[in-house]
């Protein structure tokens, strides 16, 4: 490998590990995805439906009218800008609104319309004349519960008789003072307290029980047991609904305990491919070298929007400062920022107000920023043990299905080790990664 010689002598003065960033949890990612999402995710895969009773007809709807919603809810749906049901909603909504009520386990990636679907189901089943909780939704965190609450408020805009209560930490309630709101949304611990200790909710009167973000839920110590304890207090006739973005075995086992006799709906994530991506590598010796290589191609990459990935916060901060010194406008997405700040940065980037976004791997993991046409791996993606991470490489630079535009990926290689890693990516995906001479850019222009 010709990379070796010079590179081997390169100093690696950025040895700090991204340890703190590893704590980045699923709940934060999920919240970020919610905050930055403005549209429903396109997905060309077929929805898989498994009916509890395979002999009953399978209903699906192509319009919201077919669902015979209450007029004030239909108005709310249109006010939100929804024209027709999303892919998962086509099947999930008729099931959730059927009489008698049916239980459902639904899995599809974030942004495919799950929340909107169960919010509509809850609002449809509520009797506003009755002044007690009838729908109960549990979420993994306070912030996620608030987000769902916002959707309930928006969709129920023309249905003001229906009221919402938050069962979340800090919401101090007196024992025995019954709650009048028809919909309660909260976190498992507080909901359990409200049902058992404080007796504010009569679980027997709940008609619809929703467990949202099951995969995030079970990642938190104690939430699984609390959820199951809540579920056991509900009456037999209560409709039980569970949603998850992913479905590992552990989520599946949990789902089956929470939802008896379920219908099951799954929508596979659209596969990412490198087919439409031109991949290059640049040989460098050290980070300063990588920086000047980046400056050389800067004009070419900023014709489009570019995302630059670094291994650590320290490196991302350094690079951002260097580029700013050169007079370039760059945005930095860092784990040091609070979620709202991060969402604001991503939103500016998505809206095209920023051309270049620098970030760390961990900070951007799990966040879907589509339509980026240039990706620079200032540092190659590695797993936490420092080994090649095929999945992250693909997720950073890959595109999905037929929505994928052509893209460009540039990998900065600064040692024999990183050259070896690059070669494993090349072999794994069986796609050539070409050498780029940054003093001669005819190739990429
Ligand atoms: P999920 O719960 O699967 O993450 P959401 O229900 O939050 O998905 O929907 C993702 C985004 O798509 C939200 O901005 C939501 O307002 C929007 N959305 C949901 N359903 C539809 C629809 N039928 N038509 C248009 N937009 C929709």
């Amino acid at each position: 490998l010709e990379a070796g010689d010079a590179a081997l002598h390169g100093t690696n003065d950025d040895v700090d590990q991204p340890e703190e960033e590893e704590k980045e949890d699923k709940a934060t990612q999920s919240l970020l995805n919610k905050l930055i999402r403005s549209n429903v995710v396109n997905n060309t895969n077929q929805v898989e439906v498994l009916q509890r009773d395979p002999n009953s007809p399978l209903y699906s709807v192509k319009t919201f009218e077919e669902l015979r919603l209450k007029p004030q809810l239909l108005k709310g749906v249109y006010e939100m800008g929804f024209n027709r049901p999303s892919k998962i909603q086509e099947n999930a909504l008729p099931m959730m609104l059927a009489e008698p009520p049916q239980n459902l386990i639904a899995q599809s990636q974030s942004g495919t319309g799950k929340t909107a679907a169960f919010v509509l189901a809850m609002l449809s089943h509520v009797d506003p004349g009755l002044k007690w909780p009838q729908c109960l939704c549990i979420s993994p965190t306070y912030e996620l519960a608030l987000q769902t609450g916002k959707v309930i408020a928006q969709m129920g805009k023309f249905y003001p008789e229906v009221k919402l209560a938050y069962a979340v930490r800090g919401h101090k309630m007196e024992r025995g003072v019954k709650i009048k709101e028809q919909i309660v949304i909260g976190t498992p611990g507080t909901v359990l307290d409200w049902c058992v200790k404080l007796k504010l909710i009569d679980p027997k009167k709940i008609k619809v029980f929703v467990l949202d973000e099951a995969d995030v839920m079970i990642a938190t110590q104690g939430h699984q047991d609390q959820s199951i304890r809540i579920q056991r207090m509900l009456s037999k006739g209560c409709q039980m609904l569970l949603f998850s973005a992913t479905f590992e075995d552990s989520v599946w086992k949990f789902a089956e305990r929470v939802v008896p006799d379920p219908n099951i709906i799954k929508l596979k994530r659209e596969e990412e491919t490198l087919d439409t991506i031109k991949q290059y590598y640049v040989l460098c010796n050290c980070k300063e070298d990588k920086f000047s290589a980046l400056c050389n191609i800067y004009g070419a990459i900023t014709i489009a929007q570019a995302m630059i990935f670094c291994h650590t916060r320290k490196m991302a901060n350094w690079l951002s400062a260097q580029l700013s010194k050169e007079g370039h406008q760059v945005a930095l997405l860092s784990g040091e920022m609070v979620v709202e700040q991060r969402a604001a940065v991503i939103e500016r980037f998505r809206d095209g107000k920023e051309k270049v976004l620098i970030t760390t791997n961990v900070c951007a993991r799990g966040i879907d920023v589509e339509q980026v046409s240039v990706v620079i791996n200032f540092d190659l993606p590695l797993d936490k043990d420092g080994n090649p991470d095929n999945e992250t490489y693909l997720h950073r630079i890959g595109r999905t299905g037929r929505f994928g535009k052509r893209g460009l990926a540039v990998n900065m290689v600064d040692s024999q080790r990183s050259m070896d890693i690059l070669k494993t990516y090349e072999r794994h995906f069986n796609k050539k990664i070409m050498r780029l001479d940054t003093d001669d850019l005819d190739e990429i222009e």
Side-chain angles (χ1 to χ4, degrees):
L1 288 177
E2 74 266 76
D5 289 325
L8 279 176
H9 303 293
T11 51
N12 185 1
D13 56 356
D14 197 77
V15 289
D16 60 330
Q17 288 304 302
E19 82 283 357
E20 236 182 280
E21 296 167 65
E22 287 294 344
K23 288 203 203 105
E24 196 68 31
D25 58 305
K26 283 187 165 188
T28 307
Q29 279 173 19
S30 177
L31 183 63
L32 265 173
N33 273 327
K34 277 184 200 290
L35 293 176
I36 62 177
R37 173 126 280 134
S38 60
N39 286 112
V40 76
V41 164
N42 273 321
N43 189 312
T44 52
N45 286 335
Q46 200 67 35
V47 178
E48 276 179 66
V49 182
L50 241 151
Q51 283 184 289
R52 180 182 56 93
D53 173 6
N55 296 321
S56 74
L58 176 62
Y59 293 109
S60 90
V61 291
K62 292 287 179 199
T63 66
F64 284 110
E65 276 82 7
E66 287 170 73
L67 291 166
R68 310 198 173 285
L69 300 168
K70 293 195 174 80
Q72 52 276 54
L73 290 179
L74 190 60
K75 209 170 157 195
V77 166
Y78 286 143
E79 172 94 358
M80 288 178 82
F82 299 1
N83 297 322
R84 53 191 166 77
S86 70
K87 200 137 187 182
I88 190 128
Q89 290 165 359
E90 288 180 2
N91 292 294
L93 285 171
M95 267 178 193
M96 289 195 280
L97 300 178
E99 281 300 336
Q102 303 199 17
N103 291 349
L104 175 68
I105 296 174
Q107 181 244 324
S108 61
Q109 79 197 73
S110 137
T112 46
K114 300 183 295 297
T115 307
F118 72 70
V119 166
L120 192 54
M122 288 199 292
L123 286 168
S124 296
H125 287 304
V126 155
D127 180 345
L130 307 176
K131 307 296 178 197
W132 60 73
Q134 301 154 45
C135 300
L136 179 60
C137 173
I138 54 176
S139 283
T141 65
Y142 172 75
E143 290 79 11
L144 288 166
L146 289 190
Q147 288 303 315
T148 304
K150 278 190 192 158
V151 179
I152 298 175
Q154 274 183 303
M155 205 174 270
K157 184 175 170 191
F158 304 102
Y159 204 8
E161 313 91 282
V162 178
K163 305 279 190 228
L164 171 65
Y166 289 101
V168 290
R169 74 184 132 75
H171 192 166
K172 290 273 172 287
M173 301 292 287
E174 262 178 67
R175 181 185 301 268
V177 181
K178 292 279 185 240
I179 292 187
K180 296 198 175 65
E181 286 87 351
Q182 296 91 346
I183 301 180
V184 176
I185 168 159
T187 46
T190 309
V191 167
L192 198 56
D193 278 354
W194 283 26
C195 290
V196 180
K197 246 198 244 155
L198 302 175
K199 302 212 181 306
L200 309 175
I201 303 173
D202 180 355
K204 292 280 178 272
K205 287 185 175 164
I206 298 296
K207 292 194 286 191
V208 183
F209 173 67
V210 178
L211 193 147
D212 192 19
E213 311 230 20
D215 50 348
V216 182
M217 198 71 102
I218 64 167
T220 309
Q221 188 79 29
H223 274 175
Q224 186 158 344
D225 291 341
Q226 289 166 336
S227 303
I228 288 166
R229 283 182 62 197
I230 296 167
Q231 190 268 356
R232 286 202 187 128
M233 292 188 286
L234 305 169
S235 67
K236 275 247 153 21
C238 176
Q239 179 176 37
M240 304 188 186
L241 309 168
L242 179 141
F243 298 86
S244 187
T246 59
F247 242 125
E248 305 91 67
D249 281 352
S250 53
V251 182
W252 185 240
K253 282 203 190 93
F254 173 57
E256 288 190 309
R257 291 183 70 186
V258 175
V259 184
D261 304 322
N263 294 297
I264 298 163
I265 296 182
K266 287 189 205 175
L267 178 59
K268 278 213 192 76
R269 210 189 161 90
E270 188 118 358
E271 290 219 17
E272 286 161 320
T273 146
L274 299 179
D275 288 350
T276 53
I277 310 298
K278 275 193 154 184
Q279 302 175 72
Y280 293 97
Y281 70 91
V282 183
L283 282 183
C284 310
N285 287 316
C286 55
K287 69 177 185 206
E288 285 77 14
D289 231 20
K290 295 201 235 180
F291 173 68
S292 40
L294 181 61
C295 288
N296 284 347
I297 60 172
Y298 205 78
I301 64 170
T302 47
I303 291 169
Q305 275 192 303
M307 235 170 133
I308 305 177
F309 287 90
C310 299
H311 191 49
T312 62
R313 283 182 193 177
K314 190 176 161 195
M315 187 66 95
N317 286 332
W318 176 81
L319 182 60
S320 155
Q322 293 301 110
L323 284 170
S324 300
K325 255 193 248 165
E326 292 283 309
H328 298 305
Q329 188 192 330
V330 294
L332 178 65
L333 183 69
S334 158
E336 286 147 355
M337 303 165 150
V338 298
V339 170
E340 287 76 14
Q341 288 175 314
R342 281 189 256 171
V345 170
I346 296 173
E347 206 173 327
R348 283 180 57 76
F349 183 67
R350 209 197 46 210
D351 293 347
K353 291 180 186 138
E354 302 284 356
K355 289 232 121 184
V356 175
L357 182 64
I358 301 175
T359 185
T360 58
N361 184 19
V362 180
C363 194
R365 183 181 299 158
I367 299 172
D368 301 314
V369 186
E370 301 98 355
Q371 85 212 337
V372 185
S373 41
V374 181
V375 173
I376 310 287
N377 285 324
F378 197 77
D379 298 305
L380 293 180
L382 299 172
D383 68 13
K384 58 179 183 336
D385 303 318
N387 294 316
D389 182 349
N390 295 324
E391 204 184 317
T392 302
Y393 187 81
L394 177 65
H395 188 57
R396 271 191 197 177
I397 73 174
R399 294 292 177 280
T400 58
R402 60 189 166 91
F403 300 105
K405 293 187 290 191
R406 292 195 67 77
L408 172 71
V410 181
N411 297 289
M412 304 284 182
V413 169
D414 66 352
S415 63
Q416 182 61 52
R417 169 96 185 113
S418 59
M419 193 64 204
D420 292 344
I421 288 164
L422 189 86
K423 290 289 169 194
T424 66
Y425 290 137
E426 194 168 43
R427 273 198 305 275
H428 179 86
F429 295 106
N430 194 20
K431 286 264 164 348
K432 183 99 184 119
I433 306 178
M434 290 163 290
R435 174 152 182 202
L436 179 70
D437 179 357
T438 56
D439 297 321
D440 171 18
L441 287 179
D442 295 346
E443 284 229 45
I444 59 170
E445 280 171 43

